[in-house]
Amino acid sequence: MTDCLFCRIVAGEIPADVVLRTDEVVAFRDISPQAPVHVLVIPTEHHENIGALAGSAPGLTATVLATAAQVAQQEGLGDQFRLVFNTGTEAGQSVFHVHGHVLGGRDFTWPPG
Ligand code: AMP
């Protein structure tokens, strides 16, 4: 059994609130949402971070990005959303299976408008 949390979500060993799933990607709601919409998009294949994914699987990287935009549409955000890939511990990455945070439904401008 893998000790990667998100591989275990892909395998269905840990429950998740899945909003979109294909053979290549899974999108599920973040357990600790930082915005009204907060969905994580991951490739089903394990890659540690966005740099590793882009370097070894550019086609899958494009699929992850397109899926993030599709999730935003599906969640009613249209083209108004933030997409974040925390990369490395210093940037706040805590799960080392690449994931894009799709965030939306509140004002992210600074200072808030
Ligand atoms: P990061 O800090 O960028 O690595 O993001 C990891 C994210 O995974 C955090 O926003 C967590 O809230 C989220 N998370 C951790 N465990 C789960 C889980 N079981 N289901 C959904 N989201 C999770």
Side-chain angles (χ1 to χ4, degrees):
M1 187 201 296
T2 173
D3 61 359
C4 171
L5 175 64
F6 288 174
C7 283
R8 296 186 69 193
I9 285 177
V10 169
E13 294 170 7
I14 292 176
D17 186 356
V18 173
V19 299
L20 186 155
R21 183 179 187 113
T22 70
D23 286 347
E24 288 186 304
V25 294
V26 182
F28 52 96
R29 297 193 193 285
D30 196 291
I31 205 167
S32 177
Q34 304 301 307
V37 175
H38 189 171
V39 174
L40 303 176
V41 178
I42 68 171
T44 53
E45 204 171 87
H46 183 92
H47 296 268
E48 185 165 317
N49 57 46
I50 190 65
L53 177 66
S56 65
L60 183 55
T61 306
T63 300
V64 168
L65 297 177
T67 302
Q70 186 182 341
V71 165
Q73 285 286 340
Q74 191 176 301
E75 293 292 316
L77 301 176
D79 61 359
Q80 303 295 309
F81 63 95
R82 178 172 283 192
L83 178 58
V84 176
F85 291 87
N86 294 328
T87 305
T89 49
E90 289 177 25
Q93 186 176 6
S94 61
V95 178
F96 292 86
H97 180 133
V98 60
H99 49 281
H101 295 255
V102 178
L103 296 145
R106 70 168 167 86
D107 188 2
F108 286 98
T109 59
W110 190 261

